[in-house]
């Protein structure tokens, strides 16, 4: 049963059915941390269990998309990336770095209300006031998660860490989760794309040399950039999954957008991009998402880590699938 997790075709929806909604994030998390032997010396197992069940409970299960299942999916995606690409070895990540990226995945949409930053800002939601309109949700996810960690000794999964390690781990997590704000996508994409040219990195060649020539401070910042890039990639990885899995995620994501649109309509607000259920077509919006965001990013990602080519293979097939639907719809209208 465990072996299915270590596979690019892992089906999280099937696994959820088997194991139960409330156990999916805890069980995947325990599996991953255990795989990398992060228990018990670094992370006390019992505290981790308390922590992860409380985090899972704080995801809003009534959201179509932003639930603990999405967090579990991100964690599994990152786990698979590391299995295939060994990015941990290439980037020379410490146990603390690895732990940071896993915790980041677990908490990265914690407490998500099913409404996006723009909506919260436009409606002057308390959260937008608290965080001054800057990465409102992302700030909220990290802050609330750290409240969970620190509020009880029994939840404190970081209690074994030295002050320095705690500081490092916290810095990594903050950087990674704040880095999931989609408004940072373009900057991330450009930085990593330009670096391919300036450093002559191609199909994985040149990456190790590039890392070797960095001084320690640079190297740390670079590692952090990579961690944040990997998290972001996993966050938008739906279209790189096998088609049945992608279709399910797309349905859920679009439904959450439509629910926001319904609310905007009710409040007499202009309906946000991709949120109008009366005009937006799912296949078209997915093609747009792939063409503008996912394909460019995963193409660059694959130049650094070519062992992840299964992501591009899936992406190509999925693109073709939705393209054909859009063409058929066009022909029907003629
Ligand atoms: P979030 O999970 O907070 O961060 C990544 C964002 O990408 C996600 O919210 C959505 O806004 C967007 N996203 C992810 N998957 C899809 C998808 N299949 N279609 C449209 N948007 C998506
Ligand atoms: Mg998010
Ligand atoms: Zn997310």
């Amino acid at each position: 049963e465990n072996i299915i997790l270590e596979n690019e075709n892992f089906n999280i929806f099937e696994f959820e059915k088997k194991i139960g909604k409330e156990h999916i994030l805890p069980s995947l998390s325990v599996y991953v941390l255990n795989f990398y032997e992060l228990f018990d010396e670094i992370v006390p197992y019992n505290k981790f269990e308390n922590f992860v069940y409380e985090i899972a409970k704080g995801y809003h299960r009534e959201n179509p998309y932003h639930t603990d299942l999405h967090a579990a999916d991100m964690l599994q995606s990152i786990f698979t990336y590391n299995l295939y690409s060994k990015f941990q070895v290439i980037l020379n990540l410490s146990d603390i770095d690895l732990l940071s990226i896993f915790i980041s995945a677990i908490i990265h949409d914690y407490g998500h209300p099913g409404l996006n930053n723009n909506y919260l800002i436009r409606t002057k939601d308390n959260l937008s006031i608290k965080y001054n309109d800057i990465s409102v949700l992302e700030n909220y996810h990290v802050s609330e998660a750290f409240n969970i960690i620190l509020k009880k000794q029994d939840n404190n999964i970081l209690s074994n860490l030295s002050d320095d390690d705690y500081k490092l781990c916290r810095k990594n997590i903050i950087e990674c989760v704040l880095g999931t704000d989609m408004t940072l996508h373009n900057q991330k994409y450009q930085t990593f794309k330009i670096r391919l040219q300036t450093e002559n990195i191609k199909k994985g060649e040149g990456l190790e040399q590039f890392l070797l020539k960095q001084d320690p401070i640079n190297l740390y910042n670079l590692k952090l950039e990579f961690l944040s890039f990997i998290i972001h990639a996993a966050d938008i990885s739906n279209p790189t999954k096998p088609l049945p899995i992608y279709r399910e995620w797309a349905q859920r994501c679009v439904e959450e957008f439509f629910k926001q649109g319904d609310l905007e309509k009710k409040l007499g607000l202009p309906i946000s991009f991709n949120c109008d259920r009366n005009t937006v077509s799912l296949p078209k919006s997915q093609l747009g998402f792939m063409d503008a965001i996912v394909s460019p990013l995963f193409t660059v990602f694959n130049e650094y880590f070519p062992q992840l080519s299964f992501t591009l293979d899936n992406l190509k097939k999925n693109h073709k699938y939705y393209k054909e639907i859009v063409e058929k719809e066009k022909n029907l209208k003629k």
Side-chain angles (χ1 to χ4, degrees), residues 65-66 70 108-109 112 180 182 235-236 238 246 250 253 257 286 289:
Y65 183 83
H66 284 109
H70 165 60
H108 90 277
D109 275 325
H112 198 295
T180 59
M182 286 297 284
D235 208 10
I236 57 168
N238 300 174
Y246 174 29
C253 191
F257 290 170
Q286 290 307 304
F289 184 55

Side-chain angles (χ1 to χ4, degrees), residues 166-204:
Y166 172 81
K167 213 170 124 184
L168 184 70
C169 189
R170 176 163 159 80
K171 186 178 155 78
N172 289 347
I173 294 170
I174 291 171
E175 180 76 17
C176 283
V177 179
L178 293 188
T180 59
D181 182 345
M182 286 297 284
T183 63
L184 303 172
H185 164 82
N186 223 25
Q187 188 199 320
K188 275 202 176 68
Y189 166 67
Q190 291 296 344
T191 309
F192 274 76
K193 188 188 155 110
I194 289 165
R195 184 179 293 134
L196 290 175
Q197 286 152 4
T198 53
E199 303 300 335
N200 211 2
I201 297 166
K202 215 174 170 186
K203 300 220 167 73

Side-chain angles (χ1 to χ4, degrees), residues 5-96:
L5 178 58
E6 295 164 33
N7 184 316
E8 67 194 56
N9 294 319
F10 173 70
N11 189 329
I12 197 158
F13 300 107
E14 296 290 319
F15 195 60
E16 186 193 33
K17 267 188 225 146
K18 248 191 241 165
I19 202 150
K21 270 190 195 328
E22 65 277 28
H23 302 302
I24 181 93
L25 183 60
S27 70
L28 279 183
S29 304
V30 165
Y31 182 81
V32 169
L33 266 71
N34 189 48
F35 187 93
Y36 290 104
E37 298 178 356
L38 296 170
F39 300 125
D40 257 323
E41 212 164 296
I42 301 177
V43 178
Y45 179 82
N46 288 336
K47 293 185 181 190
F48 186 79
E49 223 179 32
N50 298 335
F51 159 79
V52 75
Y53 270 101
E54 192 150 343
I55 293 290
K57 216 172 55 195
Y59 275 93
H60 299 185
R61 285 245 168 86
E62 65 279 12
N63 287 342
Y65 183 83
H66 284 109
T67 65
D68 38 341
L69 188 66
H70 165 60
D73 175 61
M74 185 204 256
L75 182 67
Q76 193 272 333
S77 302
I78 293 169
F79 178 76
T80 309
Y81 298 161
N82 197 27
L83 276 185
Y84 280 70
S85 75
K86 302 276 181 283
F87 70 73
Q88 177 195 10
V89 178
I90 296 169
L91 300 172
N92 196 13
L93 301 183
S94 67
D95 283 345
I96 298 293

